[in-house]
Amino acid sequence: MNEIDIVRAVIEEGYQISPQAVELIKLSNSPENLLKYILSTIDDCVFVIEPEHVDLKGFETSKTVSGPISGTSPGTVSQIAPDKISSPALEPADSHIVKAFDSALDALKEPESFSSVEPDMVSSADVSDSNPETKPYILSSQGSDSISDSISDSISDSVSDSVSDSVSDSVSDSVSDSVSDSVSDSVSDSVSVSDSVSESIPGSLSNPFYPSASSRSVDKPASSFFGHAVSPSTSNRASREDSLFSNHGNSFPSSSRNEEVRYLPGRNPVTVLSDITGHSTCVGEYMQFVQYFKDRYSRLSEIIRGRMNARPIESLKRRSFRRGSDGNTEEISIIGMVSDISTTTNGHKIFSIEDPTGSFSVLIRNSDKELFELASRLLLDEVIGVTGSVTNDGKLMLATKLLQPDVPNSVQRRTGSHGKAVLISDVHVGSSQFLEDSWLDFLDFLKGESDSEDMREIAAQVRYLVVAGDLVDGIGIYPDQEMELDILDVYEQYRKAAEYFREVPEHIHVIISPGNHDAVRQAEPQPALPERICADFPSNVTFVGNPALVDLDGVRILIYHGRSIDDLVASVPGVSYQEPAGAVLEMLKRRHLAPTYGSRVSISPEKKDYFIIDPVPDIIHTGHVHTLGVQRYKNVLLVNSGTWQAQTEFQKRVNLMPVPARVPVVDLADFDVKILAFD
Ligand code: D5M
Ligand code: FE
Ligand code: ZN
């Protein structure tokens, strides 16, 4: 029995399993029987089978006491203690279940035998049928008619079932009309979102991870975060096994943790904790996208799971899981990645969420003001927990609660360090709008040569200078950029920058992370600048990737250029370029620096999702939008540093008013921030 067989059998029974538990079972001399024993004895309230549920002792004892191991379904087992399993009275039922279990396993070994399955609920519809290759984002297909039918059905079920009359009236009136609208809206969105991905995705693929219901839908095109759907084949088996569970639940997978951590000792030491530099494995293959989303899901869902008792989505399809012991509607929770969002004509929100076992549609009524306001801020691809009741037909969840991973209230302010860190970004050396006079004043300040004594006093305490991207203006970044360049050669731009950085006193440890104007790949995470460029800079400069998590002598700072801020401004109500720290706050609540895939941030699908904010840092430092912002959220300091570039022609056209030559200086002991002006 290999990993995949174990996982499949577990999921088939409505559970999930940790990689450690899979390992333990695999190591047993009788994995199949051990798994049957675990499934027959595990408590009903367990959702994820962990190593502690692998009761090897009990298993051995049961073998000697009762001979062959029997099993029963998890729905009925909770009252049966393991020591009762040998009771002869249980045998007939047990042997029936063993047979069922065996045939399930057999079926799993012959995936071709799956021929039909319930279609997934609200999906982005039939466009995916017509041209599967170009719509990798769209979930399993279903015509818009059947979508509206099934929604109106489920809404009317819910009317008799669980929703108050006044609400259900308005909902059932509106939804069937509106869904086809919203579906076509969401389809066109999905298409544009997925364009960039489509080239590298082959047309016919297997479900790489979980066989679940959706993998049985043999006629459907590949389409989801987790590679649900389409005909199972064995061609991807080796790579499936390689990647299965590789990063499950770890903030820093052990294999990459040690390789990645770089300790740079000295008077002002720096430890680079997480950085893509030298670790990119991405070649743009389909499996890498699946693994990327799987890592994102497993790590973010783990954070939510600490506060929510969630079930696998597939289990919602079983009536017994949806109903309480009295047969009435029960509130249940699921955790998934948001895969499409639309609004009904009556203004309710419908979105789909997907986990590795399946996808489900969720409705948020606009009468629930607080919840609706939260739902209006939902972003595609963010991972959330949803609590609610499922309609009678098992097709729609009526949500009562949404939970983002967020920062736990219990996160304590860390003890901090001493001295100060100066945070800057968007220097844009080489641009004709580069404000050299202000910049030279700033360098004088760092050298302790300011006119003001106060400034000299602050300068004396500076230990770190952090640059969050766009060190130079680059070339060919936007149309007609050369009209606004003083230095037309990108290497010359870096040579000039290096000259400036040689002015920075040696004891100040400088950390430079790239941005979208720098000479590294545009896809994020971006590696550090290449050696050829770094070589010109003095030895007190450390180059890191974008993003990078860095420890400054006890203070953790997450550095990210901030390209996703453009997306957040465009899609989250109330987030603006004038208050960029508000955008960073939205990232923090989602514990992700670039929640939406495939928009302005071009994300490279690496094994590990480098954008996940875990652990929670003391400081998040961003730039990119050329405006200044400072906020605090639950002991995390959020700083967006401004720029050293005056308004460009492009920025004039889009009415972007930069805030140049203002420098946030953070006290590393108490996280107090002072803004110094050099204009
Ligand atoms: O980005 C500075 C800001 O200007 C940032 O908010 C993006 C915006 N910007 C700059 N160029 C473009 C183009 N071509 N399209 C849309 N938005 C843009 P920076 O990275 O410093 O150029
Ligand atoms: Fe910039
Ligand atoms: Zn930028």
Side-chain angles (χ1 to χ4, degrees):
M1 203 178 197
N2 66 20
E3 274 150 296
I4 292 191
D5 294 332
I6 295 171
V7 174
R8 284 175 171 177
V10 164
I11 286 175
E12 195 57 24
E13 290 299 315
Y15 295 95
Q16 291 182 345
I17 185 164
S18 76
Q20 293 83 359
V22 172
E23 258 326 284
L24 263 183
I25 295 169
K26 246 176 53 186
L27 290 174
S28 149
N29 52 16
S30 178
E32 202 159 327
N33 282 337
L34 174 59
L35 182 58
K36 285 178 197 171
Y37 174 76
I38 296 165
L39 290 171
S40 69
T41 55
I42 196 151
D43 197 286
D44 203 20
C45 62
V46 170
F47 298 117
V48 182
I49 298 174
E50 300 284 359
E52 64 260 31
H53 303 123
V54 182
D55 178 9
L56 292 167
K57 250 196 194 149
F59 174 57
E60 288 307 321
T61 317
S62 69
K63 273 203 289 197
T64 50
V65 173
S66 63
I69 298 303
S70 316
T72 184
S73 75
T76 56
V77 80
S78 58
Q79 297 86 351
I80 304 170
D83 57 343
K84 301 251 176 70
I85 284 181
S86 59
S87 158
L90 284 171
E91 278 194 9
D94 284 353
S95 56
H96 166 74
I97 287 153
V98 173
K99 266 191 213 132
F101 186 89
D102 283 340
S103 58
L105 280 177
D106 286 342
L108 291 169
K109 284 176 199 142
E110 297 169 63
E112 315 71 78
S113 67
F114 293 132
S115 55
S116 66
V117 73
E118 290 171 39
D120 283 339
M121 257 297 294
V122 177
S123 60
S124 297
D126 39 2
V127 181
S128 56
D129 279 333
S130 59
N131 193 359
E133 290 86 347
T134 56
K135 281 95 192 172
Y137 246 45
I138 296 164
L139 295 177
S140 42
S141 60
Q142 188 176 348
S144 53
D145 285 344
S146 58
I147 291 171
S148 46
D149 286 344
S150 58
I151 290 198
S152 60
D153 283 346
S154 46
I155 298 283
S156 31
D157 277 346
S158 70
V159 172
S160 52
D161 230 281
S162 60
V163 186
S164 74
D165 284 346
S166 59
V167 176
S168 57
D169 281 345
S170 60
V171 173
S172 55
D173 285 344
S174 66
V175 175
S176 65
D177 291 342
S178 58
V179 167
S180 33
D181 288 346
S182 58
V183 165
S184 50
D185 283 345
S186 65
V187 168
S188 53
D189 285 347
S190 315
V191 173
S192 61
V193 160
S194 56
D195 276 351
S196 62
V197 192
S198 58
E199 284 150 26
S200 50
I201 298 185
S204 164
L205 299 150
S206 344
N207 173 15
F209 297 111
Y210 298 97
S212 69
S214 39
S215 72
R216 300 175 203 172
S217 48
V218 292
D219 297 323
K220 292 176 181 169
S223 55
S224 80
F225 302 121
F226 302 102
H228 290 318
V230 299
S231 51
S233 82
T234 51
S235 60
N236 277 343
R237 211 170 171 86
S239 51
R240 278 187 225 171
E241 284 175 15
D242 287 346
S243 57
L244 195 69
F245 290 133
S246 58
N247 289 347
H248 183 98
N250 280 334
S251 307
F252 297 107
S254 53
S255 59
S256 53
R257 185 196 328 227
N258 295 335
E259 289 165 27
E260 258 176 54
V261 171
R262 258 198 304 161
Y263 180 61
L264 303 146
R267 180 169 145 198
N268 296 318
V270 164
T271 309
V272 183
L273 297 167
S274 176
D275 177 359
I276 184 68
T277 308
H279 302 286
S280 176
T281 51
C282 167
V283 291
E285 281 174 359
Y286 170 75
M287 275 306 297
Q288 295 184 317
F289 285 89
V290 175
Q291 171 149 14
Y292 169 76
F293 279 116
K294 189 174 165 293
D295 185 53
R296 181 192 284 209
Y297 173 79
S298 68
R299 288 165 61 200
L300 290 177
S301 64
E302 211 53 49
I303 296 173
I304 299 175
R305 223 172 281 284
R307 282 174 293 141
M308 178 179 258
N309 217 355
R311 290 169 183 273
I313 285 178
E314 200 201 358
S315 72
L316 267 57
K317 297 193 169 108
R318 297 177 197 198
R319 202 174 171 80
S320 60
F321 276 71
R322 299 198 302 269
R323 299 280 170 249
S325 47
D326 54 0
N328 289 325
T329 308
E330 192 188 7
E331 288 243 304
I332 43 188
S333 302
I334 49 179
I335 300 173
M337 208 175 273
V338 176
S339 59
D340 66 19
I341 309 168
S342 47
T343 307
T344 71
T345 44
N346 263 22
H348 307 290
K349 284 251 179 264
I350 291 181
F351 62 90
S352 291
I353 74 168
E354 184 179 342
D355 78 2
T357 72
S359 70
F360 215 80
S361 297
V362 177
L363 181 86
I364 314 270
R365 289 156 298 207
N366 58 10
S367 52
D368 191 339
K369 293 280 176 268
E370 213 173 299
L371 198 63
F372 189 81
E373 145 66 21
L374 241 181
S376 314
R377 305 172 79 80
L378 277 183
L379 294 173
L380 279 176
D381 312 336
E382 72 170 290
V383 175
I384 54 162
V386 185
T387 302
S389 54
V390 176
T391 52
N392 252 351
D393 60 2
K395 288 180 177 167
L396 186 70
M397 177 179 272
L398 306 167
T400 53
K401 186 174 157 194
L402 298 179
L403 199 61
Q404 289 178 310
D406 214 324
V407 177
N409 291 328
S410 56
V411 164
Q412 296 292 313
R413 166 170 290 186
R414 283 151 39 89
T415 43
S417 180
H418 66 279
K420 302 210 189 281
V422 174
L423 309 185
I424 62 168
S425 63
D426 300 275
V427 189
H428 290 270
V429 173
S431 163
S432 53
Q433 300 303 321
F434 172 56
L435 297 165
E436 191 179 31
D437 288 348
S438 299
W439 176 254
L440 292 175
D441 278 353
F442 170 62
L443 291 181
D444 285 346
F445 154 76
L446 291 176
K447 289 189 277 183
E449 294 172 3
S450 302
D451 295 338
S452 133
E453 195 177 333
D454 286 351
M455 294 282 269
R456 290 200 298 274
E457 210 172 281
I458 296 169
Q461 298 171 58
V462 173
R463 301 176 67 198
Y464 298 98
L465 168 63
V466 184
V467 186
D470 286 359
L471 177 58
V472 300
D473 206 46
I475 184 148
I477 308 292
Y478 59 86
D480 298 329
Q481 186 191 10
E482 60 279 12
M483 316 285 282
E484 289 188 281
L485 285 177
D486 274 352
I487 307 174
L488 282 159
D489 177 325
V490 73
Y491 289 106
E492 278 304 316
Q493 294 176 2
Y494 281 109
R495 268 192 284 279
K496 186 71 189 167
E499 202 177 288
Y500 291 134
F501 278 85
R502 281 197 285 273
E503 303 265 311
V504 176
E506 234 172 275
H507 73 271
I508 297 179
H509 199 145
V510 180
I511 294 128
I512 297 179
S513 171
N516 53 303
H517 283 251
D518 285 295
V520 285
R521 73 173 186 191
Q522 286 296 295
E524 298 178 14
Q526 296 177 290
L529 287 165
E531 188 49 41
R532 173 174 173 190
I533 286 170
C534 301
D536 278 344
F537 286 75
S539 60
N540 57 324
V541 178
T542 295
F543 290 89
V544 296
N546 169 44
L549 178 68
V550 173
D551 180 291
L552 308 178
D553 197 15
V555 172
R556 275 194 211 133
I557 180 166
L558 178 58
I559 308 161
Y560 176 52
H561 181 57
R563 207 157 184 196
S564 63
I565 298 174
D566 291 327
D567 287 337
L568 290 161
V569 168
S571 47
V572 182
V575 173
S576 72
Y577 285 119
Q578 286 69 46
E579 194 23 275
V584 185
L585 174 53
E586 296 297 327
M587 299 176 197
L588 189 51
K589 284 183 176 169
R590 292 163 178 85
R591 299 288 292 272
H592 203 279
L593 295 170
T596 300
Y597 183 88
S599 209
R600 260 169 267 201
V601 187
S602 157
I603 294 179
S604 160
E606 301 293 342
K607 265 192 193 148
K608 171 181 134 180
D609 186 344
Y610 284 86
F611 298 93
I612 290 181
I613 306 175
D614 191 26
V616 176
D618 302 298
I619 305 170
I620 303 181
H621 174 203
T622 53
H624 182 60
V625 293
H626 295 201
T627 51
L628 188 69
V630 177
Q631 278 192 32
R632 267 167 239 280
Y633 181 67
K634 296 188 182 176
N635 285 331
V636 185
L637 175 66
L638 314 174
V639 179
N640 197 93
S641 47
T643 180
W644 299 89
Q645 185 187 39
Q647 196 180 40
T648 62
E649 280 308 311
F650 170 81
Q651 290 163 354
K652 259 182 218 158
R653 286 203 297 278
V654 296
N655 208 17
L656 192 146
M657 190 53 77
V659 180
R662 300 282 165 97
V663 177
V665 178
V666 181
D667 188 311
L668 295 173
D670 60 11
F671 297 94
D672 185 45
V673 181
K674 282 199 167 45
I675 309 290
L676 307 182
F678 296 92
D679 50 349

